[in-house]
Amino acid sequence: MAETALPGPAAAGATRWEAVIGIEVHAQLRTASKMFCRCSTDLRDARPNSRTCPVCLGLPGVLPVINRRAVELVLATGIAIEAEIAPVTRWDRKNYFYPDLPKGYQISQYDLPLASHGRLTFDTSEGPCTVRIRRAHLEEDTARLQHTTDELGRRISLVDFNRSGLPLMEVVTEADIRTAEQARRYAEELRLLLRTIGASDAEMENGQLRVEANVSLRPVGREEFGTRVEVKNMNSFRAVERAIAFEIERQGRALEAGEVLVQETRGWDDVRNETYRMRVKEYSDDYRYFPEPDLPPLRADPAWLDSIRASLPELPAARRARYVAELGLSPYDAGVIVGDPAASALFEEALANGAVAPKALANWITGEYLRVVRQRGDGGHASGAELAHLVAMVEEGRISGTNAKEIFARHVEAGEPVEQIVAALGLAQISDADALAAAVNEVLAAHQAAVSDYRAGKQQVAGFLVGQVMKATRGQANAAIVQRLIRERLEGGE
Ligand code: ADP
Ligand code: MG
Ligand code: ZN
């Protein structure tokens, strides 16, 4: 891909620019042990350097052993993005010197990635978008450096090798992305896919999903790419979108001013809301890749691939399409539910457990359930079977919609069955006409003025009177029956 200098001052002002963006994602694979040794990947509460061994410390005289599960997860990802799986691949050494890399090389895959030529489709505010994925390969993570000061105020750097050797998958797109929003949506959809197939927990705030964006501009209509900038340190999806939008703006202004851009790496400053220069590329990196002599080539035999394919769950795109085509949900609701794996699982469980209308259930998921999740930070003890039962009770008129929300909120707290809550709170809806007649009579007697207004032609006071009965019965009255009774009384004369 040629990178040519863009037009200089002569073209300034007259040019319309188009952004060209490619995304590189590093995802930590969800395995129990590291990529080439038996050290645990569970680093929660782990003291620095406590999850290490001679292999991931890079000591001489040891041999790496391939983590089969990590390979399987990259293959699963490759299948899920409709990529070509290489029948035979190998490992390569990427050589460079840095304190976070004890061996002096990283085991990676260079010219033979496990998966190549895939694609991912997702929705944006401007409609669906498909991005080609160039490759997905497997490699090992580096150690973590921490730059700090000691008790004497001297600047020191600490190394924690717990992260050294964790399995990483790198996923690289073609430069098909054109807007900051598309870039954010691509990263979100990839995270959803990785979580759905169990390839990665992909928590961005924990560094399990790292997104880097390559951004350049070119005059609209031109084929060749312009000079690109690589943006790093984006710690949230919001940051991805804002950093790229900033970079498009910045490069546009520079090019308009007739400046010639240089290829560089920039970091995103979340506080100042801008990118800053980290380093200028003075020469193209030469990592002197060569085949890893300590590991055999990797053969992905067809039977293995078939079993991986067969064990994949329903993928997000297929599930959204099914919700729309078979359950009659709107594309928007389908997107919201599928976009949240816990919500989607709850919806599936509720569907399987009751004969309630999918649309009514979907309304509960996108409404009450997600509201509760936002408030609590999780879905608590929500059970699909109980939700289905609750929605059925509303549909049968056994409880009012308002009380159902209260019942649901309480159910989420400790998982108490909804029937038990209805009984405990005495919230069963009153549909018995005789019982309601008494309540209606009391309200009419207490609001004589409203009754006269109604008879004088102000029909809208009926709504007020219905509201009074609902209040008197703590929302338990069946509103439709109350309405009928009130009209009968008012129109029957007395
Ligand atoms: P590197 O070897 O430096 O990582 P690559 O050629 O592998 O570079 O590209 C990395 C990413 O950058 C890919 O997603 C690619 O599509 C994208 N990319 C390459 N050139 C450009 C460019 N001029 N503008 C925007 N993105 C680009
Ligand atoms: Mg790269
Ligand atoms: Zn180890």
Side-chain angles (χ1 to χ4, degrees):
M1 232 155 294
E3 289 178 11
T4 51
L6 287 161
T15 320
R16 290 204 305 121
W17 302 99
E18 172 181 63
V20 172
I21 303 158
I23 301 282
E24 293 169 272
V25 165
H26 284 90
Q28 184 191 326
L29 294 167
R30 198 168 140 192
T31 59
S33 58
K34 289 187 180 180
M35 188 61 233
F36 298 114
C37 62
R38 298 172 64 172
C39 291
S40 170
T41 57
D42 186 358
L43 306 184
R44 283 168 305 174
D45 304 320
R47 273 183 306 105
N49 298 307
S50 63
R51 300 282 187 272
T52 55
C53 72
V55 173
C56 57
L57 286 172
L59 303 186
V62 293
L63 286 174
V65 177
I66 300 169
N67 183 329
R68 182 187 167 91
R69 183 69 187 145
V71 176
E72 217 158 56
L73 293 175
V74 176
L75 294 174
T77 305
I79 293 168
I81 58 172
E82 301 165 58
E84 289 160 24
I85 306 298
V88 181
T89 61
R90 61 150 193 261
W91 305 90
D92 298 286
R93 288 188 178 181
K94 177 178 178 176
N95 300 282
Y96 66 95
F97 172 78
Y98 206 63
D100 66 2
L101 191 67
K103 297 194 297 295
Y105 61 86
Q106 177 191 32
I107 304 179
S108 181
Q109 298 193 285
Y110 183 49
D111 49 359
L112 290 173
L114 274 166
S116 52
H117 305 299
R119 64 183 59 242
L120 193 63
T121 299
F122 48 89
D123 264 319
T124 73
S125 66
E126 292 169 335
C129 180
T130 298
V131 168
R132 289 172 300 159
I133 294 176
R134 183 185 292 175
R135 58 185 285 156
H137 74 250
L138 196 45
E139 60 188 32
E140 55 178 337
D141 207 347
T142 59
R144 201 171 69 85
L145 293 179
Q146 194 189 333
H147 306 289
T148 181
T149 47
D150 67 7
E151 350 27 293
L152 298 175
R154 293 174 300 198
R155 287 166 50 183
I156 56 168
S157 293
L158 303 172
V159 196
D160 178 4
F161 287 96
N162 284 352
R163 211 182 66 182
S164 172
L166 287 178
L168 284 187
M169 172 170 60
E170 181 173 336
V171 182
V172 184
T173 74
E174 294 297 341
D176 285 346
I177 297 167
R178 295 288 171 270
T179 69
E181 188 207 354
Q182 285 174 4
R184 167 178 59 81
R185 289 289 304 119
Y186 163 78
E188 286 174 344
E189 185 70 14
L190 183 63
R191 174 181 66 166
L192 175 62
L193 185 73
L194 298 183
R195 286 184 171 178
T196 302
I197 66 177
S200 174
D201 291 331
E203 285 172 11
M204 236 176 156
E205 56 286 4
N206 294 341
Q208 293 165 338
L209 190 81
R210 299 167 224 160
V211 179
E212 285 157 22
N214 291 270
V215 183
S216 66
L217 296 190
R218 66 179 171 189
V220 171
R222 176 137 153 192
E223 280 275 332
E224 305 100 292
F225 294 161
T227 303
R228 73 174 140 144
V229 163
E230 185 171 345
V231 187
K232 292 179 183 288
N233 294 349
M234 299 169 288
N235 292 323
S236 65
F237 291 105
R238 188 162 156 262
V240 168
E241 184 164 0
R242 289 167 68 179
I244 294 172
F246 175 89
E247 200 46 38
I248 293 173
E249 270 284 314
R250 187 190 68 81
Q251 292 183 21
R253 268 197 314 271
L255 292 168
E256 287 297 330
E259 287 170 35
V260 175
L261 297 177
V262 290
Q263 191 176 330
E264 62 181 331
T265 301
R266 297 177 72 90
W268 171 245
D269 185 328
D270 221 9
V271 176
R272 303 174 60 145
N273 252 310
E274 59 188 32
T275 63
Y276 59 92
R277 172 172 289 178
M278 290 170 85
R279 57 184 168 270
V280 175
K281 231 179 187 137
E282 281 148 355
Y283 52 92
S284 89
D285 295 326
D286 187 351
Y287 295 114
R288 303 208 169 245
Y289 280 98
F290 66 87
E292 166 62 64
D294 290 342
L295 288 169
L298 199 71
R299 228 168 285 277
D301 82 87
W304 190 22
L305 287 177
D306 285 345
S307 80
I308 294 171
R309 185 175 289 109
S311 67
L312 283 181
E314 184 178 35
L315 301 179
R319 182 167 278 190
R320 279 190 294 258
R322 177 168 65 84
Y323 284 0
V324 172
E326 290 174 28
L327 304 183
L329 304 195
S330 70
Y332 178 80
D333 282 351
V336 170
I337 295 173
V338 175
D340 181 325
S344 190
L346 189 71
F347 183 62
E348 287 290 313
E349 195 190 329
L351 280 176
N353 265 279
V356 275
K359 271 189 178 173
L361 271 180
N363 286 342
W364 269 85
I365 302 273
T366 57
E368 276 311 286
Y369 171 73
L370 288 179
R371 194 184 60 73
V372 163
V373 169
R374 265 194 299 278
Q375 220 166 52
R376 298 172 45 101
D378 66 26
H381 294 79
S383 127
E386 292 298 319
L387 177 60
H389 192 65
L390 184 70
V391 176
M393 279 198 281
V394 176
E395 287 186 339
E396 289 158 10
R398 284 185 56 205
I399 52 172
S400 71
T402 312
N403 282 338
K405 289 181 183 172
E406 189 185 329
I407 294 164
F408 183 67
R410 176 155 159 182
H411 161 67
V412 167
E413 289 304 316
E416 199 182 343
V418 293
E419 283 289 357
Q420 201 170 307
I421 301 171
V422 169
L425 298 180
L427 286 177
Q429 182 158 282
I430 307 165
S431 296
D432 174 48
D434 288 339
L436 291 178
V440 166
N441 286 341
E442 267 174 43
V443 166
L444 294 186
H447 295 91
Q448 285 297 329
V451 171
S452 311
D453 283 352
Y454 184 90
R455 292 196 168 126
K458 270 183 79 179
Q459 306 248 324
Q460 59 275 33
V461 299
F464 164 76
L465 293 168
V466 171
Q468 292 305 307
V469 176
M470 296 308 293
K471 201 167 143 190
T473 58
R474 293 170 49 230
Q476 283 169 262
N478 180 320
I481 298 175
V482 171
Q483 206 153 4
R484 179 168 58 75
L485 288 174
I486 287 184
R487 290 209 184 267
E488 277 172 16
R489 288 280 191 297
L490 293 178
E491 267 146 39
E494 208 173 295

